[in-house]
Amino acid sequence: MTTIPDQQSVEFFDDAWKNKNSDERLRAIAQLSHGERKVQQTLIQIALHDEHISVRIAALKHIHDLDLLVELRDQQGPLQQSAAQQYFRVLAGSHDAAISEAQRLQTIRGLSKAGLKQVALLAKSKTAGSEALNLIDEPEELMDLSLFAASVHVRKNAALKISDKALLLELRKKVQNKDKTVFKVVDRRISEQADPGKPGKASPNGKNLQSRQAQPAPAIKKSKAAPAQQASKSNAKPEPGKTETVDIKTPDVSSTASEKVEPKSKEAKAPAPAAIDPQVQLPRLEAELGKTSYKNTGRLNALRTSVNSLRKAVAQASEELQEKTSKLHNTLLEMQEKNRSHQQHLKEATESLLLLLEKALEDGQSHDALPAWDKIQGNISNTSGKLKAALQKQANNHRDKLNELRDWKIFASTEKKKGLVAQMQHLIESKMHAADKSKHIGNMHRQWKALGRSSQNQELWREFKKLSDKAYEPCKEYFKQRKQLMASNLKQRRGICDRLEQELKTLAEENLNISNLNTLLRDAENEWKQFAPIEHSRIKSLQKRYYGLVNQFRKLRKNALRTNSKQKRDYITQARSLAASEDNNSAMSEAKRLQQQWKKLGPTSYKEDKKFWEDFRAACDKIFAKRNQQTAETRKHVQQAESSLENILQSMASIFTLDDDSFRKSRSDFQDLIQRFSTAMDPRIKNQRKRLLDQFNGSKRKIESRFNTLPNKKAVLLKNAVLAKSKFLEQLEDKLLNSKDDEQFNKLKNQIDRKAWEDIEPADSLQYEEALHDRLGKIIATVSVEELRNLAQECEVQIRSLCIDLEIRANIDTPPEDQALRMQIQLAQLKNGFGQSRPDHKENLKVAMDAELLGLCIGPLSATVQKQLSQRLDGAIRKLM
């Protein structure tokens, strides 16, 4: 017996398995050879311990060990329902399993009613379906099997067992134009009930008279009431507050075996037995005996009768036939001997089950008592003779208590079914998603079936089924759309495979772009996941096609990676050999060539790529180490030369900022800096050479230009004299312009220090001296602050005109507020100077010096205007100089 392994003993899951995602694990499970014992152990480990529930369930669907499935089914958890379903699939033959047919049938006989129904619904094995169907007698269950069983054999035989005409009429309506086989069977049964006297039709108890006479009576599993009693029970109405009881007593075996079917009339006679043809009968019996298990008591008894009849028929036949018949008889005797041992084993098992049944009845446990009773009846049905009668007698002792317990169960099932009807009514009004609603409906149907029989069973079922159909209406449209979606996804996935096949044809292994290939595979994988789900019946073949193409791409990539790895190793070897070469220039040239070829190589795996590049770069670094040392020394000398040249340029810039006296004395220093710059200019300077030369030449031109424009001593004395009197007047004008009233104005004007004015050294120019005296005279002539301010405005216009005139001559911009005045001055200059040549630098220099002195003579001016216009005037003068 297989047991569930302890968690600590599991050593199956290595790092490779853990690092796979759920989809890769599912594919790995699908590719396993599930019939091998080692693979089964692996699947058990996955089903018990994998972290993904979908992977666990997928592994469980390939397990066929019944004992393990029973243990998983009895455990609470997410695998319980899947384990139960897999258990039934194995028994039904819809899943390949290494179990014998006899073991399968023996296990089916021990199932509960719900389990028997599941096996019958799923059965692909005809023997498994027949065995489960023989143990099911409830009309509602037979109705479901006739409609939904996977095997047409089960559907047909389930329809044959239904005797209720109302159910047959309902079944015929449901299978019309859907299941031709079941429809023909049901239609014939309805016709037989309508006219039971026709030959070959069923008798009132539902059995064919001729077939019962031709074949031995099968072992009866449950008691059947007489037709008259059944009719009276069906017509009688149950009293209020009471439930119907079902008599499950099995009649005595001897009476059953000896029962004969009386002809319908005295004139009817049983047909004479057909003559036995040994040539035909012998091969048939040999084949049938080969298929029969020694555990099938009823079939062995029937074969014994047929073999004895055959022995009598071949008594006068050839020796060859007699010998074959004797051999067949001996084989049958051996199987009957095994059968007797098997019946003894069944006796012991049944006696144990009877003790279990007795205890369950005493405790009132219907979920233990009813399955035990079914197993007991299954064991008894496979015995014969006195043993069968004795066991049946012991079982009948518990019949009354079992009927009472079943009545209580029926009563409880009725109330629960009423609750399910109410829940289904609420589900109709629910707003939940169609998929969830479908699951709820299916779950409620399973609960209904698990409850078994109940009072008012047909009425409650019809009401429940009607509400169920109404609740399922929204789900139909959902599943219709889902089916369309799956069809669309199937088309898209086929398109993905088609594109991959086309792409595979265009790829060349020698020119493979691994990056593009990785992108192609990644995009294909994303698309593949996007177009899901598809129909389960088509997924395997499509997945096989898709992953076959993916594996071909991966093989190409693997080969390309291997080729790239080999080439990079070769380049590393060549680079290392070049590092030992004495001809460094040749080695560097060859190393550069290798580096260019290295760039053209495709990638390898990430770890290899990193290691290869480090090794190749280290080898190349050794080659360039000598040149790098020389380059470093050269760079150091160049940096020192550049630093020295920068210092020289800074010194030249500082000379230009000196005042005129100091600047005049710095001529020798300037010549020395020029000589030093020429000496320090290293020919190895490349990048900064142009910038340094431009900066040097610019500074040199500025300094030389300033030397050329330095005023002589006479001009300096003149400027100082004009500047001294201009400062005196500016201070006086500032005080007067800032007077509070005329009284203060006159008081300040009377306080003018004329002696200080006279003491200022006069300018050596009559023009500027008269202009300054005239400026003082205008100030003294004013009688009020307002008059002085008006005079200041007039002087402002004069100084502005002077500034604009110089700005025009210097070709510099004028502020926006003076643009109109500039336009007037330019027009006037254009008229007066038409045909004249452009002024030279010398002339501009003279104009600038005269304008500077004239600007000092114009006043009075406010302090703000004085500051603003002085700056503009100085800027234009510097530009002209």
Side-chain angles (χ1 to χ4, degrees):
M1 177 177 179
T2 306
T3 57
I4 299 175
D6 185 20
Q7 175 69 25
Q8 295 179 354
S9 65
V10 177
E11 299 179 356
F12 170 72
F13 303 104
D14 57 4
D15 292 337
W17 177 265
K18 291 180 179 178
N19 291 332
K20 293 181 179 178
N21 57 37
S22 58
D23 292 339
E24 292 175 335
R25 295 187 185 188
L26 290 173
R27 289 195 293 271
I29 291 173
Q31 294 172 0
L32 291 174
S33 178
H34 303 107
E36 298 178 6
R37 180 175 182 81
K38 184 177 180 181
V39 174
Q40 281 289 305
Q41 294 297 326
T42 300
L43 291 171
I44 292 171
Q45 302 294 333
I46 297 173
L48 292 173
H49 306 295
D50 197 276
E51 60 182 356
H52 295 281
I53 188 63
S54 60
V55 177
R56 296 177 64 186
I57 293 175
L60 180 64
K61 290 182 179 179
H62 297 290
I63 296 175
H64 51 67
D65 188 296
L66 292 177
D67 295 333
L68 176 65
L69 291 172
V70 169
E71 291 190 35
L72 291 174
R73 184 190 63 185
D74 295 337
Q75 289 184 357
Q76 296 293 330
L79 297 181
Q80 185 180 24
Q81 186 175 356
S82 298
Q85 194 68 10
Q86 178 67 4
Y87 180 78
F88 293 134
R89 280 199 295 267
V90 173
L91 290 179
S94 58
H95 183 84
D96 295 335
I99 60 174
S100 65
E101 195 68 19
Q103 181 184 357
R104 187 195 308 275
L105 297 179
Q106 181 66 22
T107 307
I108 290 174
R109 296 188 193 104
L111 294 177
S112 64
K113 293 294 183 184
L116 290 171
K117 185 175 181 181
Q118 286 296 320
V119 172
L121 285 171
L122 299 170
K124 288 190 176 180
S125 168
K126 185 179 290 187
T127 55
S130 300
E131 189 67 25
L133 183 62
N134 289 337
L135 301 175
I136 299 175
D137 293 319
E138 288 78 8
E140 294 82 10
E141 307 295 340
L142 294 172
M143 182 82 167
D144 288 344
L145 292 175
S146 301
L147 290 170
F148 306 115
S151 169
V152 65
H153 174 77
V154 174
R155 296 200 302 273
K156 179 180 73 175
N157 286 283
L160 286 172
K161 292 186 70 174
I162 298 175
S163 58
D164 190 308
K165 186 174 182 180
L167 286 180
L168 287 172
L169 290 172
E170 181 182 354
L171 179 59
R172 182 173 68 174
K173 182 179 179 182
K174 290 184 176 181
V175 299
Q176 189 173 7
N177 298 325
K178 296 181 180 178
D179 193 333
K180 293 182 179 179
T181 302
V182 177
F183 178 80
K184 290 179 181 179
V185 170
V186 174
D187 191 66
R188 187 177 75 246
R189 292 297 310 280
I190 294 173
S191 300
E192 290 172 357
Q193 290 187 0
D195 189 4
K198 292 185 178 181
K201 301 294 181 180
S203 62
N205 62 356
K207 302 287 185 178
N208 186 286
L209 295 178
Q210 294 180 4
S211 63
R212 288 187 57 180
Q213 290 174 355
Q215 298 179 2
I220 298 177
K221 301 174 183 60
K222 295 187 180 178
S223 63
K224 299 287 183 179
Q229 294 174 342
Q230 291 181 356
S232 64
K233 286 184 181 180
S234 62
N235 295 328
K237 297 181 179 180
E239 298 180 6
K242 293 186 178 180
T243 58
E244 296 180 7
T245 60
V246 180
D247 187 7
I248 59 174
K249 180 178 179 181
T250 303
D252 185 48
V253 177
S254 60
S255 63
T256 303
S258 62
E259 181 184 359
K260 294 182 179 179
V261 180
E262 295 294 332
K264 190 172 182 180
S265 64
K266 293 182 179 180
E267 291 78 13
K269 295 182 179 180
I276 298 176
D277 184 358
Q279 297 289 347
V280 176
Q281 193 73 359
L282 180 59
R284 185 184 67 80
L285 290 177
E286 288 177 342
E288 192 167 354
L289 185 62
K291 297 179 181 179
T292 303
S293 170
Y294 70 90
K295 296 181 180 181
N296 195 338
T297 304
R299 191 65 201 137
L300 286 176
N301 291 335
L303 287 172
R304 181 182 62 186
T305 302
S306 300
V307 171
N308 288 337
S309 300
L310 180 64
R311 291 176 66 195
K312 293 178 182 179
V314 300
Q316 303 301 326
S318 63
E319 294 182 0
E320 183 181 359
L321 283 176
Q322 292 181 10
E323 183 179 355
K324 289 182 178 181
T325 305
S326 177
K327 184 177 180 181
L328 178 65
H329 182 251
N330 292 335
T331 303
L332 180 61
L333 291 177
E334 292 176 1
M335 293 183 69
Q336 285 185 320
E337 184 63 30
K338 292 182 180 180
N339 180 260
R340 282 190 285 272
S341 301
H342 175 62
Q343 290 192 50
Q344 187 64 30
H345 174 71
L346 289 178
K347 176 186 176 183
E348 296 173 359
T350 304
E351 289 174 349
S352 300
L353 287 170
L354 287 169
L355 295 175
L356 178 63
L357 174 64
E358 183 177 3
K359 184 176 185 306
L361 291 173
E362 290 177 357
D363 296 339
Q365 301 293 332
S366 62
H367 60 276
D368 293 333
L370 294 177
W373 175 264
D374 292 336
K375 291 180 181 179
I376 290 169
Q377 293 302 313
N379 290 346
I380 293 174
S381 68
N382 212 20
T383 57
S384 62
K386 295 180 180 179
L387 176 60
K388 184 172 185 177
L391 291 176
Q392 187 65 62
K393 185 176 180 180
Q394 294 180 45
N396 288 341
N397 292 333
H398 304 290
R399 182 194 62 186
D400 294 335
K401 286 187 178 181
L402 187 66
N403 283 335
E404 182 180 355
L405 186 63
R406 182 169 289 179
D407 289 341
W408 279 107
K409 183 182 178 183
I410 290 174
F411 174 76
S413 297
T414 302
E415 298 304 317
K416 291 180 180 178
K417 286 186 176 181
K418 289 179 180 179
L420 288 175
V421 170
Q423 291 180 33
M424 189 64 75
Q425 179 66 47
H426 290 309
L427 193 62
I428 294 175
E429 303 167 0
S430 172
K431 301 295 184 182
M432 71 172 59
H433 192 271
D436 296 332
K437 183 177 287 189
S438 174
K439 291 179 182 178
H440 280 284
I441 293 173
N443 185 42
M444 292 169 69
H445 273 272
R446 287 190 289 272
Q447 294 179 39
W448 184 281
K449 293 176 183 178
L451 290 173
R453 292 183 56 81
S454 65
S455 300
Q456 306 174 1
N457 204 49
Q458 288 295 330
E459 293 82 355
L460 288 174
W461 167 247
R462 290 190 182 96
E463 183 179 1
F464 178 78
K465 186 66 170 62
K466 181 180 178 181
L467 295 174
S468 172
D469 292 342
K470 187 175 181 180
Y472 191 75
E473 285 297 328
C475 304
K476 290 182 179 178
E477 182 62 26
Y478 166 75
F479 286 114
K480 180 181 178 182
Q481 295 176 0
R482 180 178 173 84
K483 188 173 182 180
Q484 294 174 351
L485 175 63
M486 289 192 293
S488 175
N489 289 340
L490 177 63
K491 183 178 179 181
Q492 294 292 341
R493 284 194 170 186
R494 283 176 174 169
I496 293 172
C497 293
D498 292 340
R499 291 195 298 273
L500 289 178
E501 287 174 348
Q502 293 297 326
E503 191 67 30
L504 188 62
K505 294 177 181 178
T506 61
L507 287 181
E509 188 171 351
E510 59 273 8
N511 296 323
L512 187 64
N513 189 319
I514 295 178
S515 178
N516 293 342
L517 178 57
N518 290 335
T519 302
L520 174 67
L521 291 176
R522 183 171 59 253
D523 293 344
E525 183 70 17
N526 293 335
E527 277 192 271
W528 185 265
K529 292 179 180 178
Q530 178 184 353
F531 297 113
I534 63 173
E535 293 183 18
H536 187 71
S537 59
R538 301 184 178 183
I539 194 171
K540 287 188 177 179
S541 59
L542 194 59
Q543 281 184 334
K544 184 178 180 181
R545 179 187 176 191
Y546 170 74
Y547 287 110
L549 291 169
V550 169
N551 289 335
Q552 291 185 56
F553 281 108
R554 289 174 177 170
K555 185 178 180 180
L556 288 174
R557 181 175 62 187
K558 185 176 180 180
N559 293 337
L561 291 175
R562 188 183 296 113
T563 302
N564 293 340
S565 178
K566 182 178 181 300
Q567 290 180 346
K568 289 188 176 183
R569 287 192 182 95
D570 292 342
Y571 285 0
I572 292 170
T573 303
Q574 293 180 39
R576 287 174 177 170
S577 63
L578 289 173
S581 175
E582 295 181 357
D583 188 352
N584 193 51
N585 291 331
S586 176
M588 286 192 295
S589 299
E590 186 64 20
K592 291 178 181 179
R593 185 186 65 81
L594 289 177
Q595 288 175 344
Q596 294 299 322
Q597 292 181 351
W598 182 282
K599 294 178 181 179
K600 297 178 183 179
L601 292 177
T604 59
S605 65
Y606 176 77
K607 291 183 178 179
E608 283 187 336
D609 240 7
K610 185 178 180 182
K611 181 68 168 56
F612 287 157
W613 172 244
E614 289 176 352
D615 292 346
F616 181 72
R617 185 174 180 178
C620 291
D621 287 345
K622 290 182 180 180
I623 299 171
F624 294 102
K626 298 177 181 178
R627 188 196 67 174
N628 292 340
Q629 184 178 1
Q630 297 173 355
T631 302
E633 294 177 356
T634 302
R635 187 180 297 111
K636 182 178 179 181
H637 291 302
V638 170
Q639 289 176 351
Q640 291 176 353
E642 289 179 354
S643 178
S644 176
L645 292 172
E646 292 287 353
N647 293 333
I648 293 171
L649 291 174
Q650 290 178 4
S651 299
M652 292 177 69
S654 63
I655 289 176
F656 187 77
T657 59
L658 297 173
D659 58 78
D660 289 348
D661 291 338
S662 300
F663 183 76
R664 186 177 287 106
K665 298 175 182 178
S666 65
R667 185 179 293 273
S668 59
D669 295 336
F670 172 64
Q671 295 298 330
D672 183 52
L673 290 174
I674 292 175
Q675 184 64 33
R676 286 172 55 193
F677 185 87
S678 299
T679 304
M681 178 58 72
D682 196 313
R684 291 174 295 183
I685 298 176
K686 303 294 183 183
N687 296 334
Q688 302 296 326
R689 186 179 188 84
K690 185 176 184 304
R691 181 186 67 82
L692 294 171
L693 287 173
D694 291 345
Q695 189 174 350
F696 170 75
N697 292 329
S699 297
K700 181 181 177 183
R701 282 194 301 269
K702 287 170 61 178
I703 294 173
E704 289 177 345
S705 176
R706 185 176 176 186
F707 276 127
N708 295 332
T709 58
L710 278 176
N712 52 31
K713 292 183 179 181
K714 182 179 180 180
V716 171
L717 293 175
L718 176 61
K719 181 179 177 181
N720 291 337
V722 173
L723 184 60
K725 289 191 174 184
S726 177
K727 290 292 184 184
F728 179 88
L729 294 173
E730 287 177 6
Q731 294 175 0
L732 175 62
E733 292 164 355
D734 185 59
K735 292 179 181 179
L736 294 174
L737 288 171
N738 291 323
S739 298
K740 296 179 181 180
D741 51 25
D742 292 343
E743 182 180 354
Q744 185 181 7
F745 174 78
N746 292 320
K747 183 178 179 181
L748 290 173
K749 190 172 68 170
N750 294 329
Q751 293 177 356
I752 295 175
D753 190 355
R754 293 183 177 273
K755 184 176 184 306
W757 171 262
E758 296 295 339
D759 290 341
I760 297 174
E761 185 177 353
D764 190 15
S765 174
L766 183 60
Q767 175 187 356
Y768 301 117
E769 189 67 23
E770 288 179 352
L772 292 171
H773 278 285
D774 184 56
R775 178 177 175 181
L776 179 61
K778 290 179 180 179
I779 295 173
I780 295 173
T782 56
V783 295
S784 65
V785 178
E786 188 66 26
E787 185 179 351
L788 183 62
R789 289 174 180 170
N790 291 335
L791 181 61
Q793 291 179 357
E794 294 175 2
C795 293
E796 181 180 348
V797 173
Q798 295 178 15
I799 194 70
R800 282 184 184 277
S801 299
L802 180 62
C803 288
I804 293 171
D805 186 58
L806 289 181
E807 287 169 350
I808 293 171
R809 183 177 288 272
N811 195 22
I812 60 177
D813 293 335
T814 299
E817 62 269 16
D818 291 339
Q819 285 292 336
L821 183 57
R822 175 170 176 158
M823 184 65 70
Q824 296 175 6
I825 294 173
Q826 283 180 319
L827 289 173
Q829 290 178 352
L830 185 62
K831 292 179 181 179
N832 298 330
F834 185 77
Q836 296 181 3
S837 61
R838 186 175 180 180
D840 57 8
H841 179 68
K842 186 175 181 181
E843 182 180 352
N844 286 338
L845 182 60
K846 182 178 184 306
V847 171
M849 294 176 66
D850 290 342
E852 182 180 11
L853 296 175
L854 183 59
L856 294 175
C857 297
I858 298 174
L861 296 170
S862 64
T864 304
V865 174
Q866 178 72 33
K867 182 178 179 182
Q868 177 187 1
L869 296 179
S870 297
Q871 292 176 352
R872 286 177 58 184
L873 192 62
D874 290 342
I877 292 171
R878 285 197 301 272
K879 181 69 173 177
L880 290 172
M881 295 177 67

